[in-house]
Amino acid sequence: MGKHHGKVKISIFALLWKKVLIMSEKNNTDPKQRNSGLSKSKNILQVRKKIALQGGGTKAIEKQKAGGKLTARERILALVDSNSFHEYDLFVEHAGRDFDMNKKYLPGDGVITGTGTINGHPICIFAQDFTVAGGSLGYMHAKKITKIMDHAMKLRVPLIGINDSGGARIQEGVNSLAGYGEIFYRNTQASGVIPQISVILGPCAGGAVYSPALTDFVFVVDKISKMFITGPEVIKTVLGEEISMEDLGGAKVHAEITGNAHFYAESEVECFEQIKSLVSFIPWNNKTTAKPFPKKTPRTRQYKIEDIFPSNPKQPYDVRDIIKSIADSSEFMEIQEKFAANIVIGFGRMEGRTVGFVANQPLVLAGVLDVDSSDKAARFIRYCDSFNIPLVTLVDLPGYLPGIDQEHSGVIRHGAKILYAYSEATVPKITLIMRKAYGGGYIAMCSNHLRADFVFAWPTAEIAVMGPEGAANIIFRNEIKNAENPDEVRKQKVKEYKDKFANPYVAAAYGYVDAVIEPDETRKMLIHALDISEEKRVDAPDKKHGIPPF
Ligand code: HXC
């Protein structure tokens, strides 16, 4: 740092200090108290607080509000229990001295950090303040975040990050990159130890999106959230392509196309309600379990399996209704609802305990597994396994999606993730095969072979290498081709194959299915299986870690 810069810095702080003293004198209207030392320091504290709490000032706050956004402090207060928030490091000053940064005062260096409670449970939280230098991440800004992250890890409580930032503070150069590196490292160390929740509430660019990508759950809000590595301007300059911020990285893009977002809301307030609901389902750290809720029965008049599950095996149905027919209060918190909708993942409760549901969705692409649905399910399975949440898997799929696009997109590598995740998971794993369980799909959806603890099947289950039509066409190809009436023979051969394999009894005969059950016994059987698996212990092989097909 040059001498000149040092002098300017002193004069800026001298001016600020003078302002504080004058304001604190004005503030003190009680003549008796004016000379008391305690009163003077109290006043100084109040004035300093007042200045720091102004954030980026009236104009910047107005701009923030005009965009339909709350301020960083308002966001924290809207999320945590009332009167529970305690802020730290309010008086931290930015460290940048170049490019006239020494002449600026950035309250709290553009980020608010603290502790509070949600539903009575402690959490650590930070919220970037876009009104202060665009919430950009400088050296001290990063220090505040890493300090609260370290707290969260020491205290073993969830970390919630509200991101609203232009990314690395350009004027602070490598120090802001270092700050991001420190955050990413901590995100990775904390992964699987404490829940990490990211809320994207502004235009988040560059480093501001990689940290959320390393966390467990990302929340976005329509028209407010934007995430990209390089924004439209850079894309236009480098590639000549034109696109709006919204179309490049808006909330819908990440909730539906990229899968980077796990929850989508129409407003910030709705988003905070979603976060409160999510934290009610998850444990506070990996050494505990989610808080049990009072036991409640499903709303079976509204969600009745016999009304939901079609008698025609070719007819689709909404598997979320099956989940609601067995979950407490028919409550299901779906994750990544609009992304890879051919698989459904989310949290529910059974007899008050949190359960992670993974289910093929016959309504979308017949519930096949493909690149995106494998990624989606595999990550969720690993989350549940890390945080002691039992898995209930509902199976109805014709297998992996065939096609050039899928093969060239790496369906082998992506599809393997789900095999890896289920095989590795040691939490209780209960599987229900409702209808089709063909080929690799049968194995992948938490079969007995990937160490499901219990596999149940409805009488309608069809467990085979492939669908009867495809199978008959291959194994009876010559007989069909050489027959006088090929269509008739094909029909007969399909029936033959169906009678032999398209049922749960062959798998049950080998013990791959533990029990063939009536649909209306499902909840009772699942609850029993979950109850008796509560103390499940698995000795994993002694290794540092595996090498999943990332
Ligand atoms: C310093 C920044 C800043 C940044 C914004 N500001 N981003 N200051 N460093 N990265 C400042 C602006 O100069 C402005 O200051 C104030 O914040 C508000 O910004 P606006 O541009 O007026 O707001 P808006 O029009 O809403 O646009 C928001 C934005 C845009 C889309 C985020 O500011 C932007 O494109 N910023 C740069 C994004 C970026 O490329 N970041 C670096 C990424 S590289 P004044 O004083 O005028 O109010 C990176 C590397 C890490 O992060 C990679 C790790 C893997």
Side-chain angles (χ1 to χ4, degrees), residues 63 104 130 133-134 136 165-171 177 180 184 203 205-208 210 228 245:
K63 193 178 161 196
K104 289 192 175 167
F130 195 84
S136 58
S165 166
R169 186 171 300 149
I170 296 160
Q171 299 92 325
L177 297 181
Y180 271 125
F184 301 160
Y210 272 127
F228 34 75
M245 249 197 242

Side-chain angles (χ1 to χ4, degrees), residues 60 63 69 101 104 106 130-137 164-172 176-177 180-181 184 202-211 226 228-234 245:
K63 193 178 161 196
K69 294 159 71 177
M101 289 302 279
K104 289 192 175 167
L106 305 182
F130 195 84
T131 68
V132 177
S136 58
L137 185 131
D164 189 358
S165 166
R169 186 171 300 149
I170 296 160
Q171 299 92 325
E172 291 198 30
S176 43
L177 297 181
Y180 271 125
F184 301 160
C204 292
V209 291
Y210 272 127
S211 170
K226 274 132 197 122
F228 34 75
I229 301 296
T230 46
E233 286 300 320
V234 179
M245 249 197 242

Side-chain angles (χ1 to χ4, degrees), residues 284-298:
W284 249 229
N285 59 55
N286 66 337
K287 296 288 179 215
T288 181
T289 49
K291 189 181 136 224
F293 267 60
K295 299 171 184 182
K296 296 236 170 95
T297 50

